[in-house]
């Protein structure tokens, strides 16, 4: 119980505290240094996993892992900054598929080496340390962007990029940017971050940090004024909170259902299967054609209900193979939906402030997770048994399903009533 009540919560708290500073650092340092920080944090995490001993040392390990997960936002911000808006859906599915395939290969390899070759867990962690070290080395060769969304802008100059007139890194139009503070222009996804600047340019002005914070607040209000974006963001935050809790503590539930000292366990294989099938589902997302604006909330409700059922079955049946199967279903559905939510949010942004929106969504998810951890898991709170925790998580996802079902039904009724309004009004006028 000490592992769940005193060690795992450190990751949640660290992630929450670091997320906002990391978001600002991501833009100020122009992405690449924060990507490198993520690689370095993973190296420290796995090195400590190999050699750290004692409660305090393991808690520091969780802190460094919190840094690694908080800096993940730099990776996706970097990618979205260098591709066209029309490619968001496919790029999202490709990136997440690549991540999931890598996780699958690692899980399969680990299960085979432990079950067949008789390798120790220490040896597996050495392999993991080697892999993250190679990734850290590769990250050094990423091109360094010349500008970012808030702190670094191309100095005032007009040029043509792909036939588009560009000034200060933004597309020049005849309309006034009434929603922006003076001196700031929209940064369009069609303008790559690493585009060549004209030979005659003035030095980049020193960024006004106070103005940047004002722009962040202004952009926050503008972005979340979009109802579709707000809807997908709410689901993102709520579901990610529940997903983190289930994934973090599912090993404890499995250990209670089938103790590893009494039987062979296949946790690595289950992780591999769930990740592989999730990767296939995520890859297929790039080719799904559906009116998400109409049916999105209903789909979120349906699949959230399926997630709730999977978590409930995993908690109550008491058979390890049923637990494994339910976990696979749970992860596939979540991976599918979170990928859809990612490109729907990116596509519905009123400006290309994806780092801000994703950062805010993740921060809210972590705030909710912190609250849930403090109440349900932490020894200073209720410190509930693992089975009771999962019963609460199942109810949590069921509540999400009910909320989106009600909201989706109202939205659909409003959508299909609109065409009838002009006819009814004309009939009233005629009479």
């Amino acid at each position: 119980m000490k592992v769940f009540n005193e060690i795992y919560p450190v990751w949640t708290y660290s992630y929450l505290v670091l997320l906002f500073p990391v978001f600002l650092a991501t833009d100020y340092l122009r992405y690449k240094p924060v990507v490198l920080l993520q690689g370095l944090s993973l190296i420290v995490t796995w090195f400590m996993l190999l050699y750290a001993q004692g409660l305090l040392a393991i808690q520091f390990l969780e802190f460094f892992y919190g840094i690694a997960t908080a800096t993940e936002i730099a990776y996706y911000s970097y990618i979205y900054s260098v591709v066209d808006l029309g490619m968001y859906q496919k790029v999202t599915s490709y990136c997440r598929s690549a991540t999931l395939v890598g996780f699958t290969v690692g899980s399969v390899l680990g299960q085979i080496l432990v079950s067949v070759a008789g390798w120790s867990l220490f040896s597996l962690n050495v392999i993991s340390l080697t892999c993250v070290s190679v990734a850290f080395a590769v990250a050094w060769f990423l091109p360094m962007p010349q500008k970012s969304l808030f702190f670094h802008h191309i100095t005032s100059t007009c040029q043509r990029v792909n036939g588009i007139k560009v000034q200060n890194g933004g597309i020049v139009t005849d309309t006034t940017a009434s929603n922006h503070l003076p001196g700031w222009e929209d940064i369009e996804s069609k303008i790559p971050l690493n585009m060549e600047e004209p030979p005659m340019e003035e030095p980049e002005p020193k960024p006004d940090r106070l103005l940047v914070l004002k722009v962040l607040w202004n952009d926050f209000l503008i972005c979340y004024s979009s109802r579709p974006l707000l809807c997908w963001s709410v689901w993102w935050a709520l579901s990610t909170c529940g997903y983190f809790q289930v994934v973090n503590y599912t090993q404890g539930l499995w250990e209670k259902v089938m103790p590893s000292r009494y039987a062979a366990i296949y946790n690595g294989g289950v992780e591999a299967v769930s990740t592989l099938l999730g990767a296939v589902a995520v890859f297929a997302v790039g080719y799904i054609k559906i009116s998400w604006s109409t049916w999105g909330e209903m789909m979120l409700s349906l699949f959230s209900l399926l997630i709730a059922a999977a978590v409930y079955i995993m908690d109550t049946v008491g058979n390890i193979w049923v637990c494994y199967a339910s976990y696979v279903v749970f992860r596939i559905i979540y991976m599918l939906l979170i990928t859809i939510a990612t490109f729907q949010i990116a596509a519905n942004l009123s400006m290309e402030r994806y780092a801000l929106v994703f950062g805010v969504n993740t921060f809210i998810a972590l705030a909710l997770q912190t609250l849930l951890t403090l109440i349900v898991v932490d020894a200073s709170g209720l410190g509930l048994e693992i089975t009771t925790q999962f019963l609460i998580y199942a109810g949590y996802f069921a509540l999400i399903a009910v909320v989106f079902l009600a909201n989706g039904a109202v939205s659909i009724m409003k959508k299909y009533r609109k065409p009838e309004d002009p006819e009814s009004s004309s009939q009233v006028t005629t009479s």
Side-chain angles (χ1 to χ4, degrees), residues 102-182:
F103 189 88
T104 302
V105 172
S107 300
V108 170
L109 182 62
Q111 187 71 59
I112 292 174
L113 291 176
V114 170
S115 301
V116 179
W119 282 35
S120 65
L121 296 179
F122 182 90
S123 301
L124 295 186
N125 285 323
V126 170
I127 295 177
S128 298
L129 177 60
T130 304
C131 290
V132 295
S133 299
V134 171
F136 175 68
V138 170
W140 282 94
F141 297 96
L142 290 173
M144 183 70 178
Q146 297 304 308
K147 68 184 181 71
S148 64
L149 294 177
F150 301 106
F151 286 102
H152 302 280
H153 290 264
I154 295 178
T155 53
S156 183
T157 182
C158 288
Q159 55 181 307
R160 292 274 174 177
V161 178
N162 297 331
I164 303 172
K165 189 178 181 183
V166 180
Q167 183 173 2
N168 291 345
I171 294 178
V172 178
T173 61
D174 294 332
T175 59
T176 58
S178 57
N179 291 327
H180 282 274
L181 296 177

Side-chain angles (χ1 to χ4, degrees), residues 28-305:
Y28 186 78
L29 299 175
R30 289 176 289 182
Y31 310 110
K32 181 178 175 179
V34 182
V35 174
L36 292 172
L37 176 61
Q38 182 186 31
L40 183 61
S41 301
L42 289 171
I43 290 174
V44 173
T45 298
W46 255 271
F47 186 83
M48 293 186 69
L49 196 59
L50 287 171
Y51 299 108
Q53 295 181 355
L55 177 62
L56 183 61
I58 300 301
Q59 287 176 332
F60 268 106
L61 182 156
E62 291 289 330
F63 170 75
F64 281 105
Y65 188 60
I67 296 177
T69 48
T71 50
E72 184 180 5
I73 189 174
Y75 172 71
Y76 285 101
S77 300
Y78 181 95
I79 291 171
Y80 285 127
S81 298
V82 294
V83 299
D84 186 80
L85 179 64
M87 294 296 294
Y88 277 8
Q89 180 170 345
K90 287 190 176 181
V91 166
T92 303
S93 64
Y94 291 159
C95 292
R96 289 196 175 273
S97 295
T99 303
L100 296 176
V101 167
F103 189 88
T104 302
V105 172
S107 300
V108 170
L109 182 62
Q111 187 71 59
I112 292 174
L113 291 176
V114 170
S115 301
V116 179
W119 282 35
S120 65
L121 296 179
F122 182 90
S123 301
L124 295 186
N125 285 323
V126 170
I127 295 177
S128 298
L129 177 60
T130 304
C131 290
V132 295
S133 299
V134 171
F136 175 68
V138 170
W140 282 94
F141 297 96
L142 290 173
M144 183 70 178
Q146 297 304 308
K147 68 184 181 71
S148 64
L149 294 177
F150 301 106
F151 286 102
H152 302 280
H153 290 264
I154 295 178
T155 53
S156 183
T157 182
C158 288
Q159 55 181 307
R160 292 274 174 177
V161 178
N162 297 331
I164 303 172
K165 189 178 181 183
V166 180
Q167 183 173 2
N168 291 345
I171 294 178
V172 178
T173 61
D174 294 332
T175 59
T176 58
S178 57
N179 291 327
H180 282 274
L181 296 177
W184 293 80
E185 286 78 27
D186 285 345
I187 299 175
E188 298 294 334
S189 61
K190 294 182 180 179
I191 310 301
L193 287 181
N194 57 350
M195 71 178 177
E196 296 181 0
E197 300 184 13
M200 298 296 295
E201 69 170 19
E202 299 175 3
E204 180 181 326
K206 197 171 183 179
D208 185 338
R209 293 175 179 81
L210 182 59
L211 181 60
V212 167
L213 293 177
K214 290 180 179 178
V215 170
L216 282 172
W217 176 248
N218 190 57
D219 288 345
F220 170 82
L221 297 177
I222 294 172
C223 289
Y224 285 94
S225 64
S226 167
R227 188 185 180 281
L229 185 145
L230 183 61
C231 171
W232 288 98
S233 294
V234 168
W235 184 88
W236 169 305
L238 293 175
S239 63
T240 299
C241 165
Y243 176 79
F244 280 158
Q245 289 297 99
V246 171
V247 170
N248 286 348
Y249 298 101
T250 191
Q251 300 279 346
L253 179 65
W254 293 347
E255 183 67 20
K256 187 175 181 64
V257 173
M258 177 65 73
S260 57
R261 61 181 179 273
Y262 297 138
I265 58 174
Y266 301 95
N267 297 359
V270 173
E271 293 285 359
V273 171
S274 64
T275 306
L276 179 61
L277 295 178
V280 172
V282 166
F283 185 81
V285 164
Y287 302 93
I288 293 177
K289 304 298 181 184
I290 187 174
S291 176
W292 295 107
S293 60
T294 302
W295 301 103
E297 290 169 273
M298 299 299 289
M299 297 298 290
L300 290 177
S301 173
L302 173 62
F303 283 114
S304 295
L305 186 61

